Amino acid sequence: MPGIKLFLVGLMQALLVLLVAPLFAGLTRVLRARLHSRKGASIFQDYRDIFKLIKRQEVVPAQASWVFRFTPYVVMATTLLIAMVIPILTLQSPLGMAGDLIAVVYLFALLRFFFAVAGLDSGSGFAGIGASREMVLAILVEPTIILVLFVLALLTGSTDLGAISQKVAFGSISYYRPAVWLGMLAFAVATFIETGKLPFDLAEAEQELQEGPLTEYSGRSLAILKWSLSMKQVVVIALFLAVFFPFGSAAAVSTSSLLVSAAAFLLKVTGFYVIAALMENSSARLIIYKAPEVTWLAFGIALLSFVFYLVNV
């Protein structure tokens, strides 16, 4: 029975991410407009855009293969699966052993692989450049995330994300350890880059690449991809919160505790988006050749975290 309850919690998590992702994308627009002293679009504009796109005719490039057609569904399904695996509402992974951090890293890699290959498969030059930038970012950022998760796994003695959340929530892993707060800093930078915001919106770069890998998508497929990408942002932030700020997550499965943890999760994600909006709107987009300078710095901090773990500081 506990397994069934946790599985239902996983479904709730996926549904929560599915429903609130466009809202947070709208919040980003509103914050950007306010910081630019503009009125801007409604916070619900992304919901309207998605439903409008779903009703529109879909055009597929003649040279595109099944990869192009199926990628929107693969990306959305993979994102929903990650949302079910990560301990968002509880201190346990809803899918048990599937909540292994290595599995989550591979799921993120699968999502990015299909997204990039679909851009190349479309035959568009703009989409191809966007796809190549997506892969470059993956090569630059993923080692940082993997190294920080590896340090946390060593501190916990387990690669289970739920076990890591519990150790952090109950104070078994102290924030005073340099290995922890350095890892937190590196992971925060990697999370900000993964959300695709300025100055790291290199793959889409709307002004010069016309949304990169999304260039040739239209109609329902474009709606699903836009929805999935906003969900991916929430899921990446959720992973960061699950391993470093699991406070408010339910220790036991009950209706009241789940409602409290859902409210705490939404507040924490809102806080992240507000901080990200301040950073995003105080900087200009980097050119692709400048990105490694920042990402190598983040990896260096993660490496320093690993060194501090080795010397037990």
Side-chain angles (χ1 to χ4, degrees), residues 242-261:
V243 295
F244 284 109
F245 298 98
F247 310 107
S249 298
V253 180
S254 67
T255 304
S256 58
S257 62
L258 289 177
L259 288 174
V260 171
S261 63

Side-chain angles (χ1 to χ4, degrees), residues 39-55:
K39 183 179 178 181
S42 163
I43 196 171
F44 302 107
Q45 185 60 46
D46 278 69
Y47 292 102
R48 298 183 185 125
D49 291 345
I50 288 169
F51 288 115
K52 191 186 299 178
L53 283 171
I54 288 174
K55 295 176 184 175

Side-chain angles (χ1 to χ4, degrees), residues 167-209:
K167 292 271 187 179
V168 174
F170 297 138
S172 300
I173 296 178
S174 172
Y175 286 113
Y176 295 109
R177 294 187 67 164
V180 175
W181 58 261
L182 283 171
M184 184 194 305
L185 178 62
F187 206 119
V189 175
T191 303
F192 182 75
I193 297 173
E194 283 284 10
T195 54
K197 298 186 178 301
L198 285 172
F200 297 103
D201 63 333
L202 303 169
E204 289 79 19
E206 294 182 6
Q207 294 176 351
E208 63 190 55
L209 296 180

Side-chain angles (χ1 to χ4, degrees), residues 129-142:
I129 295 172
S132 65
R133 290 186 173 189
E134 184 76 17
M135 296 309 293
V136 168
L137 275 181
I139 293 169
L140 293 172
V141 176
E142 284 181 3

